[in-house]
Amino acid sequence: SSGINAEYGERAAVLEWLSPVRGDLFLCCYLEDCVNKLYLYDMSGALMQEISLPPGAVYGCSCRKKDNFIYFKFVSFVNPGVIYHIDMEDKTKTEFIAT
């Protein structure tokens, strides 16, 4: 396995990727219970927010250290694909485009 393992209580998760956002946060994508989960952490490693998603997978993410937004694509068995936008000012997730 090529990820970093993290223990969350009694569950284990694998870090698939992370990306800096807004200069003071990291967006982390974990594989947990066969689905992807997104979390925002501050630079000290404290959990700031879980980004709510139904069961599925995150494919592709666009965010940089200087950006104040996040775009990512989500897919599942019942959803062929949605690109979401997260505004980091108020941390709201909105559907940007259905693919």
Side-chain angles (χ1 to χ4, degrees), residues 19-27 40-43 48-49 63-70 86-91:
S19 185
V21 183
R22 205 179 66 183
D24 63 344
L25 297 172
F26 285 106
L27 176 66
L40 284 169
Y41 290 92
D42 68 12
M43 292 296 189
M48 302 304 291
Q49 178 182 353
C63 60
R64 297 175 297 186
K65 187 175 181 178
K66 66 180 184 173
D67 290 340
N68 204 29
F69 56 83
I70 300 168
I86 298 176
D87 181 340
M88 294 306 296
E89 289 299 317
D90 56 10
K91 296 190 180 64

Short mmCIF file of all heavy atoms in Angstrom, two decimals, residues 19-27 40-43 48-49 63-70 86-91:
data_model
loop_
_atom_site.label_atom_id
_atom_site.label_comp_id
_atom_site.label_asym_id
_atom_site.label_seq_id
_atom_site.Cartn_x
_atom_site.Cartn_y
_atom_site.Cartn_z
N SER A 19 -3.34 18.17 -0.30
CA SER A 19 -2.99 19.36 -1.06
C SER A 19 -3.15 20.59 -0.17
O SER A 19 -4.11 20.68 0.59
CB SER A 19 -3.91 19.48 -2.28
OG SER A 19 -3.52 20.57 -3.08
N PRO A 20 -2.21 21.53 -0.24
CA PRO A 20 -2.36 22.75 0.56
C PRO A 20 -3.45 23.64 -0.02
O PRO A 20 -3.69 23.67 -1.23
CB PRO A 20 -0.98 23.42 0.43
CG PRO A 20 -0.43 22.90 -0.85
CD PRO A 20 -0.98 21.52 -1.02
N VAL A 21 -4.15 24.35 0.87
CA VAL A 21 -5.22 25.25 0.47
C VAL A 21 -5.11 26.53 1.30
O VAL A 21 -4.87 26.46 2.50
CB VAL A 21 -6.61 24.63 0.74
CG1 VAL A 21 -7.72 25.54 0.26
CG2 VAL A 21 -6.75 23.27 0.12
N ARG A 22 -5.25 27.65 0.65
CA ARG A 22 -5.35 28.95 1.30
C ARG A 22 -4.12 29.33 2.13
O ARG A 22 -4.14 30.30 2.87
CB ARG A 22 -6.61 28.98 2.19
CG ARG A 22 -7.16 30.34 2.43
CD ARG A 22 -8.38 30.32 3.28
NE ARG A 22 -8.09 29.87 4.61
CZ ARG A 22 -8.99 29.70 5.55
NH1 ARG A 22 -10.25 29.92 5.29
NH2 ARG A 22 -8.67 29.28 6.74
N GLY A 23 -3.07 28.56 2.05
CA GLY A 23 -1.86 28.89 2.78
C GLY A 23 -1.83 28.45 4.22
O GLY A 23 -0.78 28.43 4.85
N ASP A 24 -2.99 28.07 4.78
CA ASP A 24 -3.00 27.66 6.19
C ASP A 24 -3.75 26.35 6.45
O ASP A 24 -3.94 25.97 7.59
CB ASP A 24 -3.60 28.77 7.05
CG ASP A 24 -5.06 29.07 6.71
OD1 ASP A 24 -5.52 28.65 5.62
OD2 ASP A 24 -5.73 29.72 7.53
N LEU A 25 -4.17 25.67 5.38
CA LEU A 25 -4.91 24.42 5.53
C LEU A 25 -4.39 23.35 4.57
O LEU A 25 -3.75 23.67 3.57
CB LEU A 25 -6.40 24.63 5.25
CG LEU A 25 -7.17 25.57 6.16
CD1 LEU A 25 -8.57 25.81 5.63
CD2 LEU A 25 -7.21 25.03 7.57
N PHE A 26 -4.69 22.10 4.90
CA PHE A 26 -4.45 20.97 4.01
C PHE A 26 -5.77 20.27 3.75
O PHE A 26 -6.53 20.02 4.68
CB PHE A 26 -3.49 19.95 4.63
CG PHE A 26 -2.07 20.39 4.65
CD1 PHE A 26 -1.47 20.80 5.83
CD2 PHE A 26 -1.32 20.39 3.48
CE1 PHE A 26 -0.16 21.20 5.85
CE2 PHE A 26 0.00 20.79 3.49
CZ PHE A 26 0.58 21.21 4.68
N LEU A 27 -6.03 19.94 2.49
CA LEU A 27 -7.16 19.09 2.13
C LEU A 27 -6.61 17.68 1.99
O LEU A 27 -5.68 17.44 1.22
CB LEU A 27 -7.79 19.53 0.80
CG LEU A 27 -8.91 18.65 0.28
CD1 LEU A 27 -10.13 18.72 1.21
CD2 LEU A 27 -9.30 19.05 -1.13
N LEU A 40 -10.42 18.70 6.11
CA LEU A 40 -9.55 19.87 6.15
C LEU A 40 -8.83 19.90 7.49
O LEU A 40 -9.46 19.77 8.55
CB LEU A 40 -10.37 21.16 6.00
CG LEU A 40 -10.86 21.48 4.60
CD1 LEU A 40 -11.86 22.62 4.65
CD2 LEU A 40 -9.70 21.83 3.69
N TYR A 41 -7.50 20.05 7.44
CA TYR A 41 -6.67 20.14 8.63
C TYR A 41 -5.92 21.46 8.61
O TYR A 41 -5.57 21.97 7.54
CB TYR A 41 -5.63 19.01 8.66
CG TYR A 41 -6.21 17.65 8.89
CD1 TYR A 41 -6.58 16.84 7.83
CD2 TYR A 41 -6.38 17.16 10.18
CE1 TYR A 41 -7.11 15.57 8.03
CE2 TYR A 41 -6.91 15.90 10.39
CZ TYR A 41 -7.27 15.11 9.32
OH TYR A 41 -7.79 13.86 9.53
N ASP A 42 -5.64 22.01 9.80
CA ASP A 42 -4.77 23.17 9.84
C ASP A 42 -3.31 22.71 9.82
O ASP A 42 -3.03 21.52 9.81
CB ASP A 42 -5.09 24.08 11.04
CG ASP A 42 -4.75 23.46 12.38
OD1 ASP A 42 -4.05 22.42 12.44
OD2 ASP A 42 -5.18 24.03 13.40
N MET A 43 -2.39 23.66 9.81
CA MET A 43 -0.97 23.34 9.68
C MET A 43 -0.41 22.57 10.88
O MET A 43 0.61 21.90 10.76
CB MET A 43 -0.15 24.61 9.46
CG MET A 43 -0.41 25.25 8.14
SD MET A 43 0.11 24.17 6.81
CE MET A 43 -0.07 25.24 5.43
N MET A 48 -10.10 20.43 11.12
CA MET A 48 -10.94 21.61 11.07
C MET A 48 -12.36 21.27 10.62
O MET A 48 -13.32 21.81 11.14
CB MET A 48 -10.35 22.65 10.13
CG MET A 48 -8.96 23.10 10.50
SD MET A 48 -8.83 23.75 12.17
CE MET A 48 -9.75 25.25 12.02
N GLN A 49 -12.49 20.36 9.62
CA GLN A 49 -13.81 20.06 9.08
C GLN A 49 -13.75 18.79 8.25
O GLN A 49 -12.79 18.55 7.53
CB GLN A 49 -14.26 21.22 8.19
CG GLN A 49 -15.59 21.01 7.53
CD GLN A 49 -15.98 22.18 6.64
OE1 GLN A 49 -15.32 23.21 6.61
NE2 GLN A 49 -17.06 22.02 5.91
N CYS A 63 -6.70 22.57 -6.22
CA CYS A 63 -6.52 23.58 -5.18
C CYS A 63 -5.02 23.78 -4.99
O CYS A 63 -4.23 22.86 -5.19
CB CYS A 63 -7.21 23.21 -3.88
SG CYS A 63 -6.65 21.68 -3.12
N ARG A 64 -4.67 25.00 -4.64
CA ARG A 64 -3.27 25.32 -4.43
C ARG A 64 -3.14 26.14 -3.16
O ARG A 64 -4.12 26.66 -2.63
CB ARG A 64 -2.71 26.11 -5.61
CG ARG A 64 -2.72 25.34 -6.91
CD ARG A 64 -2.27 26.19 -8.05
NE ARG A 64 -3.22 27.29 -8.22
CZ ARG A 64 -3.18 28.16 -9.20
NH1 ARG A 64 -2.23 28.09 -10.10
NH2 ARG A 64 -4.08 29.11 -9.31
N LYS A 65 -1.92 26.26 -2.71
CA LYS A 65 -1.64 27.01 -1.48
C LYS A 65 -2.16 28.44 -1.55
O LYS A 65 -2.65 28.99 -0.57
CB LYS A 65 -0.14 27.00 -1.21
CG LYS A 65 0.27 27.57 0.09
CD LYS A 65 1.77 27.41 0.29
CE LYS A 65 2.19 27.96 1.62
NZ LYS A 65 3.61 27.77 1.86
N LYS A 66 -2.10 29.06 -2.73
CA LYS A 66 -2.54 30.45 -2.87
C LYS A 66 -4.03 30.59 -3.16
O LYS A 66 -4.56 31.69 -3.14
CB LYS A 66 -1.73 31.15 -3.96
CG LYS A 66 -1.97 30.60 -5.35
CD LYS A 66 -1.13 31.35 -6.36
CE LYS A 66 -1.44 30.85 -7.76
NZ LYS A 66 -0.77 31.65 -8.77
N ASP A 67 -4.72 29.47 -3.44
CA ASP A 67 -6.14 29.53 -3.79
C ASP A 67 -7.04 29.62 -2.57
O ASP A 67 -6.71 29.10 -1.50
CB ASP A 67 -6.55 28.29 -4.59
CG ASP A 67 -5.94 28.27 -5.98
OD1 ASP A 67 -5.53 29.34 -6.47
OD2 ASP A 67 -5.85 27.17 -6.57
N ASN A 68 -8.17 30.25 -2.74
CA ASN A 68 -9.18 30.33 -1.70
C ASN A 68 -10.42 29.52 -2.08
O ASN A 68 -11.52 29.82 -1.67
CB ASN A 68 -9.55 31.80 -1.45
CG ASN A 68 -10.10 32.01 -0.07
OD1 ASN A 68 -9.75 31.29 0.85
ND2 ASN A 68 -10.96 32.99 0.08
N PHE A 69 -10.20 28.49 -2.90
CA PHE A 69 -11.28 27.62 -3.36
C PHE A 69 -10.73 26.22 -3.63
O PHE A 69 -9.53 26.04 -3.78
CB PHE A 69 -11.95 28.18 -4.61
CG PHE A 69 -10.98 28.40 -5.75
CD1 PHE A 69 -10.61 27.37 -6.59
CD2 PHE A 69 -10.43 29.66 -5.96
CE1 PHE A 69 -9.71 27.57 -7.62
CE2 PHE A 69 -9.53 29.87 -6.99
CZ PHE A 69 -9.17 28.83 -7.82
N ILE A 70 -11.64 25.27 -3.71
CA ILE A 70 -11.32 23.88 -4.04
C ILE A 70 -12.33 23.40 -5.07
O ILE A 70 -13.52 23.68 -4.94
CB ILE A 70 -11.42 22.97 -2.79
CG1 ILE A 70 -10.46 23.41 -1.70
CG2 ILE A 70 -11.19 21.51 -3.15
CD1 ILE A 70 -10.72 22.74 -0.36
N ILE A 86 -15.82 24.37 -3.50
CA ILE A 86 -15.87 24.77 -2.10
C ILE A 86 -15.24 26.15 -1.98
O ILE A 86 -14.08 26.34 -2.34
CB ILE A 86 -15.14 23.77 -1.18
CG1 ILE A 86 -15.80 22.41 -1.25
CG2 ILE A 86 -15.13 24.29 0.26
CD1 ILE A 86 -15.09 21.33 -0.47
N ASP A 87 -16.01 27.10 -1.49
CA ASP A 87 -15.52 28.44 -1.21
C ASP A 87 -14.92 28.41 0.19
O ASP A 87 -15.61 28.10 1.16
CB ASP A 87 -16.67 29.44 -1.27
CG ASP A 87 -16.25 30.86 -1.02
OD1 ASP A 87 -15.16 31.09 -0.45
OD2 ASP A 87 -17.00 31.76 -1.41
N MET A 88 -13.64 28.72 0.32
CA MET A 88 -12.96 28.61 1.60
C MET A 88 -13.30 29.74 2.56
O MET A 88 -12.98 29.65 3.73
CB MET A 88 -11.45 28.52 1.38
CG MET A 88 -11.03 27.26 0.66
SD MET A 88 -11.65 25.75 1.46
CE MET A 88 -10.78 25.83 3.01
N GLU A 89 -13.96 30.79 2.09
CA GLU A 89 -14.37 31.86 3.01
C GLU A 89 -15.44 31.35 3.97
O GLU A 89 -15.34 31.55 5.17
CB GLU A 89 -14.89 33.07 2.23
CG GLU A 89 -13.81 33.82 1.51
CD GLU A 89 -12.76 34.39 2.45
OE1 GLU A 89 -13.12 34.93 3.52
OE2 GLU A 89 -11.57 34.28 2.12
N ASP A 90 -16.46 30.69 3.43
CA ASP A 90 -17.53 30.18 4.30
C ASP A 90 -17.60 28.65 4.30
O ASP A 90 -18.47 28.07 4.93
CB ASP A 90 -18.87 30.76 3.90
CG ASP A 90 -19.21 30.52 2.44
OD1 ASP A 90 -18.51 29.74 1.77
OD2 ASP A 90 -20.18 31.12 1.96
N LYS A 91 -16.68 28.00 3.58
CA LYS A 91 -16.56 26.54 3.51
C LYS A 91 -17.85 25.86 3.05
O LYS A 91 -18.21 24.79 3.51
CB LYS A 91 -16.08 25.97 4.84
CG LYS A 91 -14.67 26.45 5.19
CD LYS A 91 -14.12 25.72 6.36
CE LYS A 91 -12.74 26.19 6.72
NZ LYS A 91 -12.62 27.55 7.15
#
